[in-house]
Amino acid sequence: MAEAIGAASSLSLGERMVRMQGYQGLRSVGFAAMPRPVRALPSPCSSSSSVVTAVSTPVKPDPTQVKRSKVEIFKEHSNFLRYPLKEELETEAANINEAATQLIKFHGSYQQTNRDERSIKSYQFMLRTKNPSGKVPNRLYLVMDDLADEFGIGTLRLTTRQTFQLHGITKFNLKTVLGTIIRNMGSTLGACGDLNRNVLAPAAPLMRKDYLFAQETADNIAMLLSPQSGSYYDIWVDGEKIMSAEPPEVVKARNDNSNGTNFPDSPEPIYGTQFLPRKFKIAVTVPTDNSVDILTNDVGVVVVSDADGEPQGFNIYVGGGMGRTHRMEATFPRLGDQLGYVPKEDILYAIKAIVVTQREHGRRDDRRYSRMKYLISDWGIDKFRGTVERYYGKKFEPFRELPEWEFKSYLGWHEQGDGAMFCGLHVDNGRIGGKMKKTLREIIEKYNLSVRITPNQNLILCDIRPTWRRPITTALAQAGLLHPRYVDPLNITAMACPALPLCPLAIAEAERGIPDILKRVRAVFDKVGLKYSESVVIRVTGCPNGCARPYMAELGLVGDGPNSYQIWLGGTPNQMRLAETFMNKVKLHDLETVLEPLFYNWKIRRLRRESFGDFSMRIGFEKLRELVEKWEGPAEARPRFGLKLFSDKETYEAMSEIAQTQNKTAHQLAMEVIRSYVASNKLAPESE
């Protein structure tokens, strides 16, 4: 235990400013020479008294003299994401080469191997869809369900960015699977790679002006920043263009070059040959609704409405991001800063200006420091804002005041506001398989329902007639999809990334490990006397890249070795504060020796309604480590209601073994047995 208790840095990660050598120069030449972005006609969005004089993008030093990462070279020579991917897909090998492996990410796929199969390299591909706001039409859901069975591993995975993942696709089936998705109202373009990823927005299908506007804005941003060269359709559907019409305001914003943002005459007017330095994540939401983890995104956009509920504009946050590297203090998770406010008609121009600032100034020499959060940490928000304003052509207005944020899960039954209902379903770790998968398909197909994926890996069934509620509820319950009141509160807010066996970056279990971890946490709660209704936000990842956003959790477990985790504490239930490192190298079998003293002291020392995260930060990590080191077990408490469930170890172990098969603790199962016995043996009152 001594090695597990490492002193955390005295400087908050959220406050850390890292100065790194700036990377100067975006290579704008590739297969064909590409001119630099130049200033064109005045922008229609820049007619304001606060106009900033636009300047053409400055000429950079010859990029051949500047160190660039290998991926930058691959992108440069790819003919806009075609070569050598197209050629590699046509070979007889089960895998593709290094350059193609990087390029296929832009098309929405990762090459993987099954790491459980030690003796051979079992190559396969993961596909990720792109679903702004998590919207999934009925037809697409049914197709994804079919593809998972026919070409995948028989399960669908809901992600923390409101998309599907299909695992286990072979190289030789890739074109069939991707072509089927494209022809059935879906896309994987830009779901991975160095460009804008899926745009988050609240998944709830509420007929409120602000929610509808947030979801429409997410759709428009996704279209604005989607690759334009056509390579995606060339490779996967032989050049057939299967695209929906874009709103004119999106086309206008993309083509506008009045502030030197575009590459003239390029197939990629915004991205050029090099795209962005790294992944780029955007979320849109409405005040109070932090179902999207707004501060963890490169750009967070918040609808601002007037007193009548009419959307007027947007507050913008910039610079969030979760990824980091163990033992490299210069890498860190970061929350977004306030950039400013823009009127609603300017949002696409403002987003484009932010993207171009990152495109031009983000580092391309070392991918560990290429996210926009490092640029802002290096420059400071004022310098960053000033640069964005040159590409935007205006000054940002002051940030508008916002109410307190809260996490919204939208689980259970709710009115949509148009006479229909929606039902939010909790899906442990977003994995849909077995009887659950079969039942969901039957319901979605029978009632012709559309669905939405939430950023917490859950599923919402939409547009349900009130008369359908009872049969749907019955069918869901029979498949184990219970009303949230019957789901352990710990599970409701928990998240985990897929990790082993398919993720090449994983160094510890996450999705496969979290069910047992949650049971053990519940057992600790029972042992120290915490109520069943009490909970903490727990997130687990197999590596420090943070796909399940563990650095926002009250209790984050980040894999730092085989069966070993770094423990982070201090996040909040509404995901508005970064957690910080509490301990390193905590072995999985030692988890209780850390959690018992933490949860026991939270129970006896907390303030009224104080969350575990707030308690951890108030008490301080030094004191908490001292409590862990000196822990000898909870003080003997008098049994509640005079009841002691287990009088001997053998009975407890036998009950625990049975309980595990039902995903319960021994205490929970024992109480159910006792209640059932009492109910069945109650005597009727004697007649008078």
Side-chain angles (χ1 to χ4, degrees):
M1 181 51 59
E3 66 174 353
I5 306 175
S9 171
S10 60
L11 180 62
S12 166
L13 289 175
E15 298 171 346
R16 183 181 299 134
M17 300 289 286
V18 174
R19 292 284 168 186
M20 295 175 288
Q21 180 182 356
Y23 178 80
Q24 296 296 320
L26 165 64
R27 186 176 180 88
S28 60
V29 292
F31 244 65
M34 298 285 295
R36 298 300 306 160
V38 297
R39 181 169 50 177
L41 298 175
S43 167
C45 80
S46 59
S47 56
S48 166
S49 58
S50 59
V51 170
V52 176
T53 302
V55 295
S56 61
T57 306
V59 177
K60 303 291 180 65
D62 181 357
T64 60
Q65 304 302 315
V66 181
K67 179 185 175 184
R68 292 183 298 157
S69 71
K70 187 185 298 185
V71 177
E72 293 298 313
I73 309 299
F74 294 153
K75 289 186 287 186
E76 177 192 343
H77 294 124
S78 72
N79 189 18
F80 299 98
L81 310 180
R82 292 177 175 86
Y83 174 81
L85 176 59
K86 189 174 187 299
E87 292 75 10
E88 283 291 304
L89 290 171
E90 295 171 354
T91 69
E92 295 181 359
N95 63 315
I96 55 179
N97 69 17
E98 183 182 5
T101 298
Q102 292 298 329
L103 296 178
I104 201 171
K105 294 178 184 179
F106 292 78
H107 296 256
S109 181
Y110 283 86
Q111 180 171 267
Q112 300 178 330
T113 59
N114 188 336
R115 294 168 63 186
D116 282 348
E117 298 175 1
R118 305 282 184 179
S119 58
I120 58 171
K121 280 271 189 180
S122 176
Y123 286 104
Q124 54 189 277
F125 291 80
M126 178 270 283
L127 289 181
R128 182 184 296 154
T129 60
K130 205 169 185 183
N131 310 88
S133 307
K135 294 179 183 177
V136 182
N138 173 271
R139 177 173 151 194
L140 178 59
Y141 184 92
L142 298 179
V143 164
M144 296 298 294
D145 184 81
D146 287 338
L147 292 174
D149 288 339
E150 187 174 356
F151 299 103
I153 60 173
T155 66
L156 286 169
R157 183 80 163 40
L158 312 179
T159 78
T160 58
R161 291 203 71 79
Q162 297 183 276
T163 66
F164 285 117
Q165 285 185 178
L166 284 179
H167 292 93
I169 312 297
T170 67
K171 170 184 161 180
F172 309 107
N173 289 326
L174 272 175
K175 189 168 183 177
T176 299
V177 174
L178 271 160
T180 303
I181 292 172
I182 294 168
R183 293 186 175 95
N184 286 276
M185 308 173 70
S187 177
T188 64
L189 176 60
C192 322
D194 299 343
L195 73 177
N196 180 55
R197 303 288 187 89
N198 196 52
V199 182
L200 304 188
L206 297 170
M207 297 297 112
R208 275 175 39 179
K209 290 180 181 179
D210 54 351
Y211 274 84
L212 293 173
F213 193 55
Q215 292 157 4
E216 177 188 348
T217 300
D219 289 341
N220 287 345
I221 292 172
M223 286 184 278
L224 172 73
L225 299 176
S226 181
Q228 300 296 301
S229 74
S231 62
Y232 181 69
Y233 300 98
D234 289 346
I235 291 175
W236 304 113
V237 288
D238 298 322
E240 183 181 356
K241 296 295 173 69
I242 306 172
M243 302 171 65
S244 57
E246 294 180 328
E249 61 267 29
V250 172
V251 177
K252 185 178 181 181
R254 181 188 299 120
N255 293 336
D256 177 73
N257 193 30
S258 56
N259 297 309
T261 55
N262 288 20
F263 293 96
D265 303 318
S266 169
E268 292 292 351
I270 295 177
Y271 291 130
T273 61
Q274 301 303 113
F275 291 81
L276 297 179
R278 282 284 268 133
K279 67 181 78 171
F280 199 87
K281 298 181 177 181
I282 300 175
V284 186
T285 191
V286 303
T288 74
D289 187 337
N290 197 25
S291 59
V292 299
D293 267 0
I294 189 70
L295 296 183
T296 66
N297 292 271
D298 290 272
V299 182
V301 179
V302 185
V303 175
V304 176
S305 302
D306 62 18
D308 297 323
E310 196 67 41
Q312 298 298 307
F314 300 90
N315 280 342
I316 301 177
Y317 295 97
V318 291
M322 293 283 96
R324 50 179 286 275
T325 303
H326 283 313
R327 294 175 293 282
M328 291 190 66
E329 292 300 313
T331 65
F332 47 84
R334 189 181 192 278
L335 300 188
D337 294 325
Q338 294 181 5
L339 183 67
Y341 170 89
V342 298
K344 61 184 180 182
E345 62 270 15
D346 284 1
I347 186 58
L348 296 181
Y349 299 90
I351 292 294
K352 182 178 174 183
I354 295 167
V355 169
V356 170
T357 300
Q358 164 67 353
R359 182 195 75 195
E360 292 297 301
H361 300 282
R363 288 183 62 171
R364 294 177 182 266
D365 59 333
D366 189 335
R367 291 176 65 80
R368 289 172 296 187
Y369 306 109
S370 293
R371 289 291 296 275
M372 194 171 75
K373 65 181 178 180
Y374 295 113
L375 177 64
I376 296 175
S377 181
D378 184 26
W379 278 8
I381 189 62
D382 292 334
K383 179 178 177 179
F384 182 84
R385 183 185 295 112
T387 304
V388 173
E389 286 172 343
R390 291 203 299 274
Y391 294 118
Y392 172 39
K394 288 184 179 182
K395 290 281 189 183
F396 287 100
E397 297 179 35
F399 204 82
R400 302 299 196 259
E401 186 176 350
L402 294 172
E404 188 75 17
W405 293 98
E406 60 181 282
F407 168 73
K408 295 179 184 287
S409 70
Y410 297 109
L411 297 179
W413 288 91
H414 305 269
E415 300 281 348
Q416 288 184 179
D418 59 357
M421 304 187 76
F422 71 89
C423 180
L425 304 172
H426 172 73
V427 180
D428 277 336
N429 306 305
R431 184 69 68 179
I432 298 176
K435 187 175 182 181
M436 178 198 303
K437 181 173 176 292
K438 181 175 181 292
T439 300
L440 280 174
R441 189 207 169 86
E442 290 171 351
I443 292 171
I444 291 167
E445 190 168 31
K446 177 179 179 179
Y447 297 100
N448 194 31
L449 304 180
S450 62
V451 307
R452 299 195 183 181
I453 303 168
T454 80
N456 226 55
Q457 302 174 301
N458 295 321
L459 196 69
I460 294 177
L461 306 181
C462 307
D463 306 315
I464 302 172
R465 294 180 188 176
T467 54
W468 298 344
R469 176 173 178 172
R470 178 168 290 182
I472 288 176
T473 299
T474 301
L476 291 172
Q478 290 173 348
L481 287 159
L482 305 176
H483 189 281
R485 77 167 66 98
Y486 302 116
V487 179
D488 190 321
L490 290 171
N491 292 60
I492 291 290
T493 56
M495 289 202 298
C497 66
L500 297 169
L502 296 178
C503 178
L505 302 176
I507 50 182
E509 295 284 2
E511 180 185 341
R512 295 195 301 193
I514 196 173
D516 184 61
I517 289 172
L518 293 175
K519 290 179 197 174
R520 291 166 64 183
V521 171
R522 176 55 65 191
V524 171
F525 268 37
D526 290 341
K527 182 175 181 178
V528 302
L530 287 165
K531 297 178 181 177
Y532 180 76
S533 59
E534 296 184 276
S535 185
V536 298
V537 177
I538 300 173
R539 295 177 176 178
V540 183
T541 59
C543 81
N545 284 309
C547 293
R549 303 189 284 274
Y551 311 116
M552 303 303 292
E554 294 182 275
L555 171 63
L557 302 180
V558 179
D560 61 1
N563 294 314
S564 175
Y565 295 88
Q566 190 178 61
I567 294 183
W568 289 64
L569 302 178
T572 58
N574 66 351
Q575 282 82 63
M576 291 303 290
R577 182 178 63 217
L578 269 178
E580 296 184 17
T581 311
F582 177 63
M583 288 185 178
N584 296 299
K585 296 290 183 181
V586 176
K587 290 297 183 182
L588 188 59
H589 58 75
D590 288 331
L591 207 53
E592 283 83 355
T593 63
V594 177
L595 298 185
E596 277 186 20
L598 294 179
F599 290 142
Y600 176 75
N601 281 279
W602 174 45
K603 176 182 180 294
I604 65 172
R605 297 172 178 233
R606 60 186 166 181
L607 304 177
R608 179 175 172 80
R609 296 182 178 175
E610 186 176 36
S611 69
F612 177 66
D614 286 343
F615 165 80
S616 300
M617 299 304 284
R618 179 176 63 83
I619 296 297
F621 286 10
E622 185 177 345
K623 178 62 176 177
L624 291 177
R625 291 189 191 97
E626 180 184 332
L627 293 170
V628 170
E629 286 180 318
K630 297 180 178 179
W631 180 246
E632 295 182 355
E636 189 68 30
R638 294 174 60 187
R640 287 181 292 174
F641 311 111
L643 176 65
K644 187 173 182 179
L645 287 176
F646 303 106
S647 58
D648 62 273
K649 183 178 179 181
E650 290 75 15
T651 303
Y652 170 78
E653 289 177 345
M655 183 66 78
S656 181
E657 185 175 347
I658 298 171
Q660 286 180 9
T661 65
Q662 302 180 32
N663 200 27
K664 299 172 183 175
T665 67
H667 183 276
Q668 290 168 333
L669 181 59
M671 289 304 300
E672 289 180 12
V673 172
I674 292 170
R675 291 191 188 105
S676 177
Y677 178 81
V678 171
S680 63
N681 285 276
K682 277 186 176 178
L683 297 175
E686 293 183 5
S687 57
E688 295 182 354

